[in-house]
Amino acid sequence: MTFVECEAQAIGFIRSSGLDLSGVTERGDIMPLIRETSSRIAGLPSSAFSGFSERSLQTVFYYTAMDSDDESLQPELLCDTGSRGRADLFIRNMRSGGSQYLLELKYLSEAKGTEAAVASKLEEAKEQLARYREAPNFKDMKNLDCWTIVFVNREPKAVEKLV
């Protein structure tokens, strides 16, 4: 069993297949992925949140992208950016001319999810993404969309595209 499978099992996540994420692959719209991931997180048992973390959030995003009914999305967890660190999730879109996605994910528990904490995590994520976007494997990539997403407990509290 892989690390990702262990993490999914630990939080009670159950995979499904045949998700329509055509907006992500065809129209370059990341919101269908975010909505589906949010729905899956909302459906987790309450017991999952005692140990839920950024790693758990990465796992749910990863498997949601993997469960697309079209095999054009190829997610990569903890994508290496060389000396610039590891990005939480890179999603390669194999459709010709399709958007590629670099996501920096942050998670706060309900108790720690104050407005100030969300703003701080959002800024931290934006700084990381800016650094990753300049890495050798991303700096010349066409159609690269960089997104910061901050979840508090079961829902996204901040979603922002880096321009």
Side-chain angles (χ1 to χ4, degrees), residues 1 3 8 18-19 32 36 39-40 67 73 78 82 93 101 107 122 126 128 141 146:
M1 184 177 291
F3 166 78
L19 295 178
E36 181 61 35
S39 174
R40 288 174 167 210
D67 291 346
L73 295 181
L78 299 173
N93 182 354
Y101 303 95
Y107 178 79
L122 182 64
K126 287 165 45 174
Q128 287 175 297
M141 186 175 284
C146 299

Side-chain angles (χ1 to χ4, degrees), residues 43-69:
L44 290 173
S46 295
S47 61
F49 291 92
S50 65
F52 205 84
S53 65
E54 185 175 307
R55 186 178 308 153
S56 306
L57 182 60
Q58 292 167 351
T59 299
V60 178
F61 263 92
Y62 172 79
Y63 275 133
T64 302
M66 290 280 293
D67 291 346
S68 174
D69 63 356

Side-chain angles (χ1 to χ4, degrees), residues 25 65-66 68-75 92-95:
T25 56
M66 290 280 293
S68 174
D69 63 356
D70 137 1
E71 296 178 1
S72 297
L73 295 181
Q74 295 182 347
R92 187 177 307 282
N93 182 354
M94 300 307 290
R95 286 193 183 256

Side-chain angles (χ1 to χ4, degrees), residues 1-39:
M1 184 177 291
T2 67
F3 166 78
V4 178
E5 292 167 327
C6 288
E7 182 68 29
Q9 184 179 22
I11 61 172
F13 180 76
I14 299 171
R15 290 189 65 189
S16 62
S17 59
L19 295 178
D20 179 10
L21 296 177
S22 58
V24 178
T25 56
E26 296 171 11
R27 294 184 301 280
D29 179 10
I30 194 75
M31 293 315 290
L33 176 63
I34 295 171
R35 281 192 297 273
E36 181 61 35
T37 302
S38 298
S39 174

